[in-house]
Amino acid sequence: MPLVRYFAAAQEAAGRDAEHRIEATLGDLRRAVAADHPGLGTILPRCAVLVGGSRVDDATALGHDDLVDVLPPFAGG
């Protein structure tokens, strides 16, 4: 199961710093976490979402051991 890590404002909106998910693609994961954590709905579209440290598109399949990081915009650069 992919592990999703939330940082800064995304962590606050999700109410947790990490969770395991079952979704098969990044797009499915985005929709599911927004539904499960409504506070992410306004933040998630502005976040960088990295899979294994790289930006990928929503069609990307997620593997059992993938690490997904949700990084909101940070002030100052």
Side-chain angles (χ1 to χ4, degrees):
M1 294 169 48
L3 176 64
V4 180
R5 298 187 305 180
Y6 302 102
F7 295 88
Q11 179 182 1
E12 185 175 326
R16 62 192 67 216
D17 60 355
E19 65 181 324
H20 286 280
R21 302 295 305 197
I22 61 168
E23 290 75 28
T25 68
L26 181 58
D28 291 341
L29 185 138
R30 283 177 177 272
R31 287 184 289 280
V33 298
D36 290 351
H37 309 295
L40 280 173
T42 59
I43 296 169
L44 195 57
R46 297 188 318 259
C47 289
V49 180
L50 308 177
V51 177
S54 298
R55 286 185 186 238
V56 296
D57 65 29
D58 280 354
T60 299
L62 298 175
H64 180 73
D65 295 327
D66 276 334
L67 183 61
V68 180
D69 291 326
V70 180
L71 305 162
F74 293 96

